[in-house]
Amino acid sequence: MASEQWQSQEIQHSPTRPFLLLHRLPGFNLSFLPLLQTRYTVLDPLADPPEPLFTAHSKSARVMICLGPTPVTSEDLDKYPAVECIVGSSAGVNHFDLAACRRRGIRVTNAGDTFSDDAADYAVGLMIDVLRRFSSADWFIRSGDWPVKKEYPLGCKVSGKRVGILGLGSIGLRVAKRLEAFGCIIAYNSRKMKPNVQYHYHKNVQDLAANSDILILCCALTNETYHVVNKDVMTALGKDGIIVNVGRGALIDEKELVQFLVQGEIGGAGLDVFENEPNVPGELFALDNVVLSPHRAVVTLESFTRLQELLLGNLEAFYSNKPLQAQIKFE
Amino acid sequence: MASEQWQSQEIQHSPTRPFLLLHRLPGFNLSFLPLLQTRYTVLDPLADPPEPLFTAHSKSARVMICLGPTPVTSEDLDKYPAVECIVGSSAGVNHFDLAACRRRGIRVTNAGDTFSDDAADYAVGLMIDVLRRFSSADWFIRSGDWPVKKEYPLGCKVSGKRVGILGLGSIGLRVAKRLEAFGCIIAYNSRKMKPNVQYHYHKNVQDLAANSDILILCCALTNETYHVVNKDVMTALGKDGIIVNVGRGALIDEKELVQFLVQGEIGGAGLDVFENEPNVPGELFALDNVVLSPHRAVVTLESFTRLQELLLGNLEAFYSNKPLQAQIKFE
């Protein structure tokens, strides 16, 4: 997309820059804000100093750009009655009140599969890291222990492991494809059995866990998947079982997970997401069979550039009545 | 292999337990020594207290079991003139004076492909760890930085990267297979172009580096590959390039590597092996684009069991005149 072309198009439709609501949690900043401001009058309720005409202008804004996991509630939509389209930057959709959007006829987009490769790469990396004990090995060397203690404990084999994938969507399928090349045996659980997929389907998460060495969570957080990994699932996974989570923290009952890890009732965990980010349960800091990561599965420098293109493209598409990319289908 | 069966066979051939030389560096211990001692009279020059008849008995030992990277020199072989077979436990062979073995008609075995999957899994894991910054992310959380600093720096994408593999043997081929599933583009260098391999071949290591984002070292250490990754190769790899080494430390000119990393002349490294193990250059401890690992690519709990079977099987094969497994072909 050449920006000159876009600008000339826009000027034909509107002599002034259209309003664009920026919806964000404190601390979430838009790196390409200056570029957006050349095309839109960006309205930011968190602007400091406050924008003088924010309340008046925000009532006529037709598009909202929503950063990361910033919640969009029915009350938010009451405040912005002209919004017809929400352009989201996140892979998840659990922060949107989708029922409210549907009622109001608001179209919603997300990051689509922009981050799917990244998240799948990360899940596989976390699995290898936990099994082969990379993070604690790195610390073993940096703390000067190698010449003193000589032997670092052996890790576990990756190849050939039975991997259960929870959520065989665009991320889960990519995880499966990668791990097949390691000779892993793939099974999965999702709401429905997928057509044209040869992996073994378990209707029940507990059955999947009982038949897996590693459980990888790649599903969306919804009312149905909240705490889907509970005490029973962890018991089924067993003492040598490992959990990798690149979905959302609340897919796991985190208090139970901490207990299972501390008491050695599961074998380890690779966690990119937590229930109360950025707070991570302190009990985990002492464990060397746990790899902790600050919610970074779904972003790389490269995919961030792709996301920017997607967001700008959807704003352009909205104003030129073209189809939106990565539009959420309401159920 | 049922041990009862083996013992009854052995007893038919020899009324006493045959001598078995244990050749090892201090600190290298054989976990299944008690099992070996039920079948052999194990002669250990490092035994404490020393074995009274070691010198006399060792002159008639026909088999040597060599642990890990313990060097076997021509002088060692002078001391043990009856040795006909060396059963090695390592994947590498650079610690054997193979020319001396050939002259004396000594057959040599190694670990074969016992560890190939493990090493390939590890190489891929190290690559993801460096690109996506796992080890330093784990430390970011454990040190309590997440709630304070909020944002952890973005990593680089794994999928689609150009990966140059140095040594397309049993490990290198497995690395290639795994990374193809990540959508990486594979090229390689080895002594000769491999038949039936579709990856692009570079006759020259510097050319391979110039055309790769990541260079993965999986080759054996020989006179030809000593310091094969030198200043010119690292310059060709460039500022964003990453080196992963699961081969041997001396494949890289380590002093140069440290300089390139410290000065930001290459992008990062994942290192399982070093020139002077267990000593790791202290300059690397301060770098967060480096992942350090204590020579653990080629062993897991599972492969250790497989290795034990291979070693016992080769000892049995030698004494029953059956073919050896994983026998080294002299060139």
Side-chain angles (χ1 to χ4, degrees):
Chain A
M1 172 183 61
S3 65
E4 295 75 17
Q5 184 192 343
W6 185 90
Q7 283 187 323
S8 62
Q9 270 189 344
E10 179 53 27
I11 286 161
Q12 287 172 6
H13 293 295
S14 162
T16 60
R17 295 193 190 101
F19 292 130
L20 172 62
L21 264 170
L22 181 58
H23 190 66
R24 64 184 181 109
L25 290 167
F28 279 77
N29 299 309
L30 194 62
S31 63
F32 57 102
L33 182 62
L35 177 62
L36 271 186
Q37 286 169 327
T38 65
R39 306 179 186 183
Y40 302 94
T41 301
V42 178
L43 304 172
D44 179 5
L46 301 183
D48 182 23
E51 292 168 8
L53 293 173
F54 176 82
T55 308
H57 286 164
S58 65
K59 291 204 187 307
S60 59
R62 296 171 61 204
V63 183
M64 169 191 281
I65 188 163
C66 175
L67 296 198
T70 310
V72 178
T73 64
S74 189
E75 291 71 34
D76 291 324
L77 299 175
D78 286 341
K79 285 190 279 181
Y80 310 131
V83 165
E84 299 166 42
C85 176
I86 300 174
V87 174
S89 71
S90 164
V93 293
N94 61 300
H95 52 297
F96 296 124
D97 184 338
L98 292 179
C101 292
R102 184 173 48 181
R103 276 198 309 274
R104 292 161 190 257
I106 296 172
R107 287 180 288 166
V108 180
T109 66
N110 71 350
D113 66 359
T114 307
F115 301 126
S116 299
D117 279 325
D118 284 343
D121 296 344
Y122 214 82
V124 173
L126 283 179
M127 172 177 152
I128 302 176
D129 195 324
V130 175
L131 283 167
R132 302 299 300 271
R133 307 172 53 89
F134 281 175
S135 294
S136 64
D138 186 75
W139 182 238
F140 178 79
I141 292 188
R142 289 179 199 248
S143 62
D145 274 353
W146 194 11
V148 181
K149 297 188 180 167
K150 313 283 188 203
E151 289 284 304
Y152 181 73
L154 292 183
C156 293
K157 205 172 187 72
V158 173
S159 295
K161 284 282 183 295
R162 298 170 305 159
V163 178
I165 299 177
L166 203 53
L168 202 70
S170 96
I171 297 170
L173 277 169
R174 284 167 168 86
V175 171
K177 181 186 160 204
R178 284 155 176 72
L179 287 176
E180 273 196 287
F182 288 76
C184 291
I185 301 142
I186 312 292
Y188 74 105
N189 166 269
S190 59
R191 278 169 301 183
K192 289 175 192 166
M193 191 168 157
K194 304 274 174 184
N196 309 319
V197 160
Q198 80 281 25
Y199 311 124
H200 188 79
Y201 174 68
H202 289 273
K203 201 174 176 181
N204 181 291
V205 179
Q206 207 171 319
D207 287 345
L208 179 68
N211 290 285
S212 298
D213 301 307
I214 293 109
L215 206 57
I216 300 187
L217 315 186
C218 316
C219 54
L221 179 63
T222 62
N223 288 338
E224 287 73 38
T225 61
Y226 176 82
H227 282 197
V228 63
V229 176
N230 57 21
K231 200 172 171 171
D232 294 338
V233 169
M234 288 185 257
T235 303
L237 187 61
K239 282 184 192 294
D240 295 323
I242 283 167
I243 295 176
V244 170
N245 192 0
V246 293
R248 284 286 181 271
L251 293 172
I252 308 180
D253 182 336
E254 191 169 276
K255 275 190 187 162
E256 284 292 348
L257 173 67
V258 169
Q259 285 311 305
F260 269 71
L261 284 166
V262 167
Q263 292 167 8
E265 299 292 328
I266 62 168
L271 305 170
D272 182 51
V273 285
F274 303 89
E275 282 209 75
N276 186 27
E277 296 172 9
N279 299 303
V280 176
E283 295 94 327
L284 300 181
F285 294 8
L287 303 180
D288 68 359
N289 55 344
V290 173
V291 178
L292 305 170
S293 158
H295 204 141
R296 274 290 179 250
V298 293
V299 209
T300 56
L301 291 163
E302 292 89 337
S303 63
F304 201 78
T305 304
R306 257 193 76 195
L307 175 67
Q308 179 174 330
E309 289 165 6
L310 176 69
L311 299 181
L312 290 171
N314 269 340
L315 294 174
E316 177 183 353
F318 174 81
Y319 280 110
S320 53
N321 292 315
K322 287 184 181 156
L324 300 172
Q325 300 295 308
Q327 185 174 342
I328 305 300
K329 285 182 190 138
F330 297 124
E331 305 230 328
Chain B
M1 172 183 61
S3 66
E4 295 75 16
Q5 185 192 342
W6 184 90
Q7 283 187 325
S8 63
Q9 273 190 345
E10 179 53 26
I11 286 162
Q12 286 172 5
H13 293 297
S14 163
T16 58
R17 295 191 190 105
F19 292 130
L20 174 61
L21 265 171
L22 181 58
H23 191 65
R24 64 186 183 108
L25 290 167
F28 278 77
N29 299 309
L30 194 62
S31 63
F32 57 103
L33 183 61
L35 177 61
L36 272 186
Q37 286 169 328
T38 64
R39 305 179 188 183
Y40 302 94
T41 300
V42 178
L43 304 171
D44 179 4
L46 301 183
D48 183 21
E51 293 169 9
L53 293 173
F54 176 80
T55 309
H57 286 163
S58 65
K59 290 205 188 305
S60 60
R62 295 171 61 201
V63 184
M64 169 192 280
I65 189 163
C66 175
L67 296 197
T70 309
V72 178
T73 64
S74 189
E75 291 71 34
D76 290 324
L77 298 176
D78 287 340
K79 282 191 280 180
Y80 310 129
V83 165
E84 298 166 42
C85 176
I86 300 174
V87 173
S89 71
S90 161
V93 294
N94 62 298
H95 52 298
F96 296 125
D97 184 337
L98 292 179
C101 292
R102 184 174 48 180
R103 277 199 308 275
R104 292 163 190 256
I106 296 172
R107 287 180 286 165
V108 180
T109 66
N110 73 348
D113 66 358
T114 307
F115 301 126
S116 300
D117 280 324
D118 284 342
D121 296 344
Y122 214 83
V124 173
L126 283 177
M127 172 178 154
I128 302 175
D129 194 325
V130 175
L131 284 167
R132 302 299 299 272
R133 307 171 53 90
F134 281 175
S135 293
S136 64
D138 186 74
W139 182 239
F140 179 79
I141 293 187
R142 290 180 199 247
S143 62
D145 274 354
W146 195 11
V148 181
K149 297 188 181 167
K150 312 280 189 210
E151 288 283 305
Y152 181 74
L154 291 183
C156 294
K157 207 174 186 70
V158 173
S159 295
K161 284 281 184 297
R162 299 169 305 159
V163 178
I165 298 177
L166 202 54
L168 202 70
S170 96
I171 297 170
L173 277 168
R174 285 166 166 87
V175 171
K177 179 187 161 203
R178 284 154 176 73
L179 287 175
E180 274 196 286
F182 288 76
C184 291
I185 300 142
I186 312 292
Y188 73 104
N189 166 269
S190 59
R191 276 170 301 182
K192 291 177 191 165
M193 192 169 160
K194 304 273 176 185
N196 310 317
V197 160
Q198 81 279 26
Y199 311 125
H200 188 79
Y201 174 68
H202 289 273
K203 199 173 175 181
N204 180 292
V205 179
Q206 207 170 319
D207 287 347
L208 180 69
N211 290 286
S212 298
D213 301 307
I214 294 110
L215 206 56
I216 300 187
L217 316 186
C218 316
C219 55
L221 178 63
T222 62
N223 287 338
E224 288 72 38
T225 61
Y226 176 82
H227 282 197
V228 63
V229 176
N230 57 22
K231 199 171 172 172
D232 295 338
V233 170
M234 288 185 257
T235 303
L237 187 60
K239 281 185 193 296
D240 295 322
I242 283 166
I243 295 175
V244 170
N245 192 0
V246 295
R248 284 285 181 272
L251 293 171
I252 308 180
D253 183 334
E254 193 170 276
K255 276 191 187 161
E256 284 293 347
L257 173 68
V258 168
Q259 286 309 305
F260 270 71
L261 284 165
V262 167
Q263 292 168 8
E265 298 293 327
I266 62 169
L271 305 171
D272 182 51
V273 286
F274 304 88
E275 282 208 75
N276 186 27
E277 296 172 10
N279 299 302
V280 176
E283 296 94 329
L284 302 180
F285 294 8
L287 303 179
D288 68 359
N289 56 343
V290 172
V291 177
L292 305 170
S293 158
H295 204 142
R296 274 291 180 249
V298 292
V299 208
T300 56
L301 291 164
E302 292 88 339
S303 63
F304 201 77
T305 304
R306 256 192 76 197
L307 175 67
Q308 180 175 329
E309 289 165 5
L310 177 68
L311 299 182
L312 289 172
N314 268 340
L315 294 175
E316 178 182 352
F318 173 80
Y319 279 110
S320 53
N321 292 314
K322 286 182 182 159
L324 300 172
Q325 300 294 311
Q327 185 175 341
I328 304 302
K329 286 183 190 136
F330 297 124
E331 304 227 328

